Amino acid sequence: MTPTPDPSKVPKSQRRDPSANELDYVNILNDSVEEGFEKLTVAQERTELALVQLTSQVRETNKTLDRVGGKLDKLGDRIDSMGDRIDGHLQVAQQQARNIEAQHASIAELTKLCTVLVSKAS
């Protein structure tokens, strides 16, 4: 004999009508299982479609990140190059400052010499 489920745990839509025979009950359960299977199949198809879409979006995001990464690398190279050029300009400016100091010293010496010569000439 087939075990009978607890009637309080069976959904109302699946409860056995006391006047129905065993075959009707099996058919009702089979229909319910098929309906559930169809719902699961639809859910699986939707999930697979969502997965395909998500995979496509991830690929596009990766391509975008690769492009941005390449641009950042180029920008970094340009910044390094600019830094090197700025360092070169600073070295030239420092040398020019030393040259100006030397010229000021020479001018001061010439001024002293001129003062001595003018004082001797008078």
Side-chain angles (χ1 to χ4, degrees):
M1 176 155 183
T2 309
T4 308
D6 181 5
S8 64
K9 294 182 180 176
V10 176
K12 286 185 181 181
S13 63
Q14 295 178 1
R15 287 191 186 160
R16 187 191 309 207
D17 181 359
S19 64
N21 64 26
E22 289 290 321
L23 185 57
D24 290 338
Y25 184 65
V26 170
N27 285 336
I28 290 171
L29 288 177
N30 188 38
D31 290 345
S32 177
V33 168
E34 286 179 4
E35 184 180 313
F37 181 76
E38 287 174 14
K39 288 180 181 179
L40 285 174
T41 302
V42 168
Q44 179 185 4
E45 289 170 357
R46 287 181 182 167
T47 303
E48 288 172 353
L49 178 61
L51 180 62
V52 167
Q53 291 172 340
L54 182 61
T55 301
S56 175
Q57 290 172 352
V58 167
R59 282 189 190 124
E60 289 301 315
T61 301
N62 282 339
K63 288 178 185 177
T64 301
L65 289 174
D66 287 344
R67 284 194 302 268
V68 169
K71 289 179 181 180
L72 287 174
D73 288 343
K74 287 180 184 178
L75 182 60
D77 291 344
R78 288 179 64 192
I79 289 171
D80 289 344
S81 174
M82 289 175 69
D84 292 343
R85 285 184 283 175
I86 289 170
D87 288 343
H89 288 300
L90 286 174
Q91 289 174 359
V92 168
Q94 288 171 345
Q95 183 60 46
Q96 288 175 341
R98 286 190 292 271
N99 291 344
I100 290 170
E101 288 175 8
Q103 287 176 350
H104 280 264
S106 295
I107 291 171
E109 288 295 319
L110 287 174
T111 303
K112 287 179 188 176
L113 180 61
C114 288
T115 303
V116 169
L117 290 175
V118 167
S119 69
K120 287 186 180 181
S122 354

